[in-house]
Amino acid sequence: MDQDSATPVHDAVRDTMSEISTISDGERLAELLNRIKYYLGADENSAPAHEKAEFTRTHYTPFLRLLVAQMGPQWMDLLTSDRLELWDSFFLEGPADQAFLVLMESFGRSGLCTRLDRCVLVLERFLQRGSLAGVIWEVCQQNLEANHTSILHEAILGRICSLPDHLANCLQKRNKPLFYPNNYYPLVGSAILRVLQMVSDSLRDGKGCSISFVSQVLGKICMQGRHTSFGRKVIQATMSSKWELPSFCCICTSHGLSAWKEMLQTILGYLSMDESRRPLLLKVLHELLEVWSSGTVVKHSPHAQHLHLSRAILICLSLLNQQELGNCKQDLLSALTSGTRHYLDSSVPSIRHLGMVVAECLSRHIDSQAPSLSFQYEEDEEIKELKSLLTPLCVCPQDAPTIEKTPIKSSPSKVKSANNTSVETGSKSDSELDSDDDLEPYDMSADTEMKKSKTPKYIRDCIEVLLSDDLDKVEVTLNSLVALIWANPVATKEVSVELTKILLHLDDKPGVERFAELRYSSLVALTVLDPVPVSQYLTGEFYAVNYSLRQRMDILDVLASAAQNLSKISTPAHTLSSNKSPQIVTSSQKPDSPVDWKKVVEERIKSKTRRFAKGSSAPAQVSVPNRFHAVAGHFFFPLIQNFDRPMVTFNLLGDDRLVLGRMVHTLGILMHLALHATIASQMGKALLEFVWVLRFHIDSFVRQGLLFCISTVLLSVPWERLMTDMSEEVLEMQCWLADVAEKDPDDDCRRLALNGLVLMEKLRNNIKGPTED
């Protein structure tokens, strides 16, 4: 059991979070939020210090994650402006490092939705308030603890340094200007300056502090190539503000930028100005000498790096007193004996000369009384400037200003707008102004009741609404869902299967007008927009257990209508209706009976018959790409594979013959729409084998579907391919058609069989016709 599992704070937070997860009352929600705010308050009415510590240590992050997870269209209707401010305050007034991580996590888990909009707004306020300094300061404080979590600190470091890239990838065209690199990295610079001031204050108070995380942020941002905008902000701030490190004021020239020489003099001079910092100066010199005397560095470093290294060593030497020189004499001697040889062996004259200058200075500082090394080289401006560094530079102006201190946390300012406005009146009397005798009443007979629920803006918000019990919101969402699907194709594809699952399992809502039609149109739109994953899901669920016959028939109708939309095929006007652009063709009535595809096939049969001396009766149709061809296999083959496997709640070859008949008709429709597709031959062969297995079915509706399938195979697969690849199957089907046309007790079956025989004959004649002519 966790150490806080039985405390009053744990129980209170657990109960509150449980109730918040299912709340539907705005007043009660505000009460619960204020109950938790008790553990974050800073006034005398807030919780005791030990309870606040327990809450921020154990419960704060889980509670923030719950707030993010629950934020959606449901809560937006419950939260007034004051309640939204209360919601925001949990992120703006608590531990900054935890709040920052939770906000950044939300961008990786949410697509475009209401939740994302709110988190973006809060993050924007978070950065504008300067809370990023609080994040860095929290980590600096935690680095002093023995059990600090380095993985957590690495995560915060990565989020801080890559925030613009992360937000740009998530928000794309909806990105905020504050998150642009040129605006964001100067904010980081300001945050670091404030943290350094806090470090200075902490040290003055005798408290320990770690600045390793500050250096990691600086290093990572510079490695990412953002040092220009970031560094400019730091330098401008030190120029215009009073700073506890007065030597920073000497960094900048009149042009606002500093040479490396002056920067080295400033930083090293600052280390030498206080006795407590002088050991750092000796440590820096020791490490510089190690680098300078390395043979690898001499061989592989450019001239600019050698010059910078030489400057740093000479500045350090100029700042040491006699006692310190005596203490580091062994380091100087070791570097002189091992490093000088490498520089003298260098083939680059400029690097060799730099080594000679440093070696001379080292030998002079080891023993000022003994003779020092002396080399022959030409003194150019660079060497003269290098030797001048042995004279210490004053880096401590007396009138150095101090930086202005700004608190990290400040309570959110609530500005109340006054509603008192003065209204100027004219010279007319009150009775004249109030008279409405001449006004005609407005005709409101055609008005309809305005829906209280707002239309959702994002496709992800629709998921949350459809899972709720609010009939008004469900109705508004279903009415706008098709338009949202086509307005946000990228976002829809991310959740297409999830949304399809919800719609397929959505129970009939008696209070929602046109529920079945709206649900059906949305399923068709999803399948058309993202055909492969959605069709794979639907065909897989068709044979799954625990589905009603209504749901299985809905799956078949959605697949047929979606395939029709993808193929762009024209159909009789009285059987189809269109939705919003782009047009989605669905059944005009509740799909309890199959679309009259028999008439469609008969029209195709007529088109196969050659006629002479008849002009064009209709304008030629404009050819459009058939998108169904590329995905036809995903619709067809999973549907035809498992029909003979009885399940606990579903048996196509037994009692569920109505669904079998509908499935057979659907297979015929898919075959019909695959005309000229490269996969049509494979589909035709599989469909003929399927028909052959079920040809003696006792249900006339099933037999009608099988006969319909034969006609679609004949129309969709070229006759030459039929006679080449499936000649035996075609001859068997011809014999069966003849038998059905003569003996079947159902009139429609006999008619369809006769149509199939006529179609075979016409196709055969069309092939032979040109030869005979």
Side-chain angles (χ1 to χ4, degrees):
M1 181 180 292
D2 297 335
Q3 83 179 65
D4 297 322
S5 60
T7 64
V9 177
H10 175 273
D11 295 339
V13 174
R14 180 196 59 197
D15 296 342
T16 303
M17 292 177 65
S18 177
E19 186 174 352
I20 281 179
S21 301
T22 58
I23 199 165
S24 59
D25 179 74
E27 291 291 340
R28 180 58 179 165
L29 176 59
E31 292 178 10
L32 294 175
L33 292 179
N34 280 311
R35 179 188 297 178
I36 298 298
K37 190 68 180 294
Y38 170 72
Y39 299 107
L40 277 183
D43 54 20
E44 58 183 9
N45 296 323
S46 59
H50 70 279
E51 292 187 355
K52 291 181 182 178
E54 178 187 336
F55 175 77
T56 56
R57 181 180 66 252
T58 308
H59 307 292
Y60 182 61
T61 293
F63 185 74
L64 290 188
R65 286 173 175 161
L66 175 66
L67 292 182
V68 172
Q70 293 296 119
M71 175 52 67
Q74 298 279 67
W75 269 32
M76 288 302 292
D77 290 341
L78 300 178
L79 296 173
T80 61
S81 58
D82 291 341
R83 295 168 189 167
L84 281 173
E85 182 65 32
L86 177 60
W87 190 91
D88 295 352
S89 67
F90 283 95
F91 297 88
L92 302 177
E93 299 176 16
D97 56 332
Q98 298 183 55
F100 179 71
L101 274 181
V102 172
L103 286 173
M104 294 302 294
E105 284 177 4
S106 68
F107 300 123
R109 297 175 181 175
S110 301
L112 295 177
C113 59
T114 301
R115 179 184 303 111
L116 183 68
D117 282 353
R118 197 68 207 173
C119 290
V120 168
L121 178 63
V122 174
L123 180 61
E124 195 172 19
R125 294 182 61 187
F126 185 91
L127 296 177
Q128 289 170 342
R129 290 163 54 94
S131 298
L132 197 58
V135 177
I136 300 174
W137 177 248
E138 291 282 352
V139 178
C140 290
Q141 293 292 94
Q142 293 167 13
N143 280 336
L144 297 176
E145 301 174 2
N147 58 344
H148 71 272
T149 308
S150 58
I151 297 178
L152 180 64
H153 294 177
E154 284 293 328
I156 296 175
L157 176 65
R159 298 293 192 279
I160 291 176
C161 297
S162 62
L163 184 144
D165 296 332
H166 188 71
L167 269 293
N169 184 52
C170 179
L171 302 179
Q172 299 179 4
K173 294 182 180 180
R174 299 175 182 266
N175 202 4
K176 300 284 187 179
L178 183 64
F179 305 143
Y180 295 168
N182 289 340
N183 297 329
Y184 170 74
Y185 287 109
L187 275 180
V188 181
S190 299
I192 287 178
L193 288 172
R194 295 173 64 187
V195 171
L196 291 177
Q197 179 62 58
M198 297 168 69
V199 169
S200 176
D201 294 342
S202 178
L203 294 176
R204 288 179 180 278
D205 294 339
K207 300 177 182 178
C209 188
S210 170
I211 60 171
S212 61
F213 187 73
V214 178
S215 65
Q216 291 174 352
V217 174
L218 285 167
K220 190 154 189 171
I221 291 177
C222 292
M223 288 178 63
Q224 291 175 346
R226 303 295 183 181
H227 54 278
T228 304
S229 58
F230 171 77
R232 183 179 294 113
K233 177 64 179 179
V234 175
I235 293 204
Q236 289 173 351
T238 55
M239 289 176 64
S240 60
S241 303
K242 294 193 173 184
W243 184 249
E244 293 293 337
L245 306 181
S247 54
F248 269 107
C249 296
C250 300
I251 292 179
C252 304
T253 64
S254 59
H255 301 289
L257 294 176
S258 169
W260 282 107
K261 182 180 73 172
E262 284 113 2
M263 185 179 295
L264 284 171
Q265 288 176 318
T266 299
I267 297 173
L268 297 174
Y270 171 75
L271 295 178
S272 69
M273 289 171 59
D274 190 274
E275 288 298 326
S276 63
R277 296 192 294 264
R278 292 192 70 86
L280 293 176
L281 182 65
L282 293 173
K283 183 178 179 181
V284 169
L285 177 61
H286 173 76
E287 295 181 357
L288 288 171
L289 291 173
E290 283 188 349
V291 175
W292 182 84
S293 60
S294 170
T296 303
V297 172
V298 175
K299 289 181 180 180
H300 302 294
S301 298
H303 173 79
Q305 187 170 340
H306 282 289
L307 178 60
H308 183 72
L309 186 61
S310 302
R311 285 172 174 167
I313 292 174
L314 297 189
I315 293 172
C316 286
L317 291 176
S318 70
L319 296 172
L320 298 182
N321 55 38
Q322 291 298 323
Q323 182 180 355
E324 291 167 337
L325 284 173
N327 293 336
C328 66
K329 184 177 294 186
Q330 186 60 41
D331 291 337
L332 299 177
L333 183 61
S334 175
L336 180 65
T337 54
S338 59
T340 304
R341 175 172 52 85
H342 297 307
Y343 281 94
L344 294 177
D345 292 341
S346 175
S347 59
V348 182
S350 60
I351 294 178
R352 188 165 61 248
H353 294 164
L354 290 176
M356 293 176 180
V357 174
V358 175
E360 289 178 350
C361 296
L362 290 177
S363 65
R364 193 177 306 123
H365 283 77
I366 290 174
D367 190 351
S368 58
Q369 304 299 325
S372 60
L373 292 175
S374 179
F375 299 97
Q376 292 184 353
Y377 48 82
E378 183 180 354
E379 285 197 13
D380 53 15
E381 292 297 325
E382 187 175 82
I383 292 179
K384 291 179 181 179
E385 176 261 325
L386 194 59
K387 289 184 175 181
S388 69
L389 296 178
L390 291 172
T391 302
L393 180 69
C394 177
V395 293
C396 175
Q398 297 298 321
D399 56 346
T402 58
I403 193 169
E404 182 179 351
K405 300 180 182 179
T406 307
I408 288 297
K409 297 180 182 179
S410 61
S411 59
S413 58
K414 298 183 179 179
V415 181
K416 297 183 179 179
S417 59
N419 294 325
N420 300 327
T421 57
S422 60
V423 180
E424 297 183 358
T425 60
S427 59
K428 296 184 178 181
S429 65
D430 292 342
S431 60
E432 290 177 343
L433 291 174
D434 294 340
S435 175
D436 56 359
D437 295 340
D438 297 333
L439 299 179
E440 296 181 2
Y442 187 79
D443 183 12
M444 301 178 64
S445 59
D447 286 6
T448 57
E449 181 184 357
M450 181 180 293
K451 297 296 182 182
K452 296 180 180 179
S453 302
K454 299 177 182 178
T455 302
K457 293 171 56 179
Y458 302 108
I459 198 71
R460 288 179 181 270
D461 292 343
C462 299
I463 294 177
E464 180 177 339
V465 173
L466 293 175
L467 292 174
S468 70
D469 297 326
D470 192 321
L471 293 182
D472 287 339
K473 292 181 179 178
V474 171
E475 182 174 358
V476 171
T477 300
L478 284 175
N479 275 284
S480 60
L481 187 53
V482 172
L484 270 177
I485 288 171
W486 289 108
N488 305 277
V490 176
T492 301
K493 288 182 179 180
E494 295 176 357
V495 295
S496 58
V497 174
E498 181 182 359
L499 188 53
T500 301
K501 180 178 181 180
I502 293 172
L503 288 170
L504 185 62
H505 291 81
L506 196 62
D507 295 331
D508 192 4
K509 307 287 185 182
V512 178
E513 297 180 5
R514 302 168 50 239
F515 171 81
E517 179 184 346
L518 294 173
R519 169 177 166 273
Y520 178 65
S521 300
S522 300
L523 284 169
V524 174
L526 286 168
T527 312
V528 173
L529 180 67
D530 203 10
V532 174
V534 176
S535 64
Q536 289 176 342
Y537 171 77
L538 290 176
T539 53
E541 295 302 296
F542 179 76
Y543 288 106
V545 297
N546 297 327
Y547 275 92
S548 66
L549 298 184
R550 175 70 268 166
Q551 288 173 308
R552 299 185 200 277
M553 295 173 73
D554 285 345
I555 290 174
L556 296 173
D557 292 324
V558 168
L559 290 173
S561 292
Q564 180 184 346
N565 280 273
L566 289 168
S567 67
K568 301 289 186 182
I569 190 170
S570 60
T571 52
H574 69 277
T575 62
L576 303 172
S577 64
S578 61
N579 242 319
K580 296 181 180 180
S581 296
Q583 291 187 345
I584 299 295
V585 181
T586 58
S587 178
S588 59
Q589 71 261 7
K590 190 174 180 180
D592 291 326
S593 59
V595 179
D596 191 3
W597 284 92
K598 300 171 186 177
K599 295 184 179 180
V600 179
V601 174
E602 290 175 356
E603 291 295 328
R604 291 280 301 277
I605 293 174
K606 292 179 181 178
S607 67
K608 295 287 184 178
T609 305
R610 295 191 301 166
R611 293 180 174 86
F612 302 96
K614 291 187 71 174
S616 177
S617 59
Q621 294 185 356
V622 179
S623 60
V624 293
N626 191 324
R627 293 187 296 146
F628 179 65
H629 285 177
V631 297
H634 296 285
F635 283 66
F636 182 84
F637 290 109
L639 200 58
I640 203 174
Q641 287 175 349
N642 301 319
F643 72 94
D644 56 347
R645 298 181 184 178
M647 291 172 286
V648 176
T649 60
F650 184 50
N651 187 2
L652 277 178
L653 299 182
D655 297 334
D656 300 320
R657 60 187 66 173
L658 177 62
V659 181
L660 176 62
R662 183 68 65 84
M663 187 194 78
V664 173
H665 279 85
T666 302
L667 291 172
I669 293 170
L670 299 178
M671 185 72 249
H672 168 71
L673 297 174
L675 175 67
H676 303 312
T678 55
I679 202 173
S681 297
Q682 300 176 40
M683 293 172 60
K685 186 175 181 62
L687 191 54
L688 289 180
E689 293 175 354
F690 173 78
V691 171
W692 189 253
V693 172
L694 298 176
R695 67 189 187 279
F696 296 124
H697 200 280
I698 60 174
D699 192 283
S700 60
F701 180 60
V702 175
R703 296 199 305 276
Q704 291 173 20
L706 298 174
L707 294 166
F708 169 68
C709 288
I710 291 179
S711 296
T712 60
V713 172
L714 295 174
L715 291 170
S716 301
V717 182
W719 180 257
E720 297 88 339
R721 294 295 302 271
L722 286 172
M723 299 311 298
T724 302
D725 301 337
M726 295 168 269
S727 58
E728 294 183 4
E729 290 88 343
V730 171
L731 292 176
E732 290 174 346
M733 289 299 167
Q734 186 176 14
C735 295
W736 177 63
L737 289 175
D739 188 62
V740 171
E742 181 180 355
K743 301 178 182 179
D744 198 282
D746 185 77
D747 293 339
D748 288 333
C749 289
R750 292 197 301 272
R751 180 177 58 82
L752 288 171
L754 185 60
N755 285 343
L757 291 172
V758 172
L759 180 57
M760 280 188 179
E761 187 64 25
K762 288 182 178 179
L763 290 172
R764 186 182 295 108
N765 292 338
N766 286 343
I767 296 299
K768 295 180 178 180
T771 305
E772 295 173 355
D773 293 343

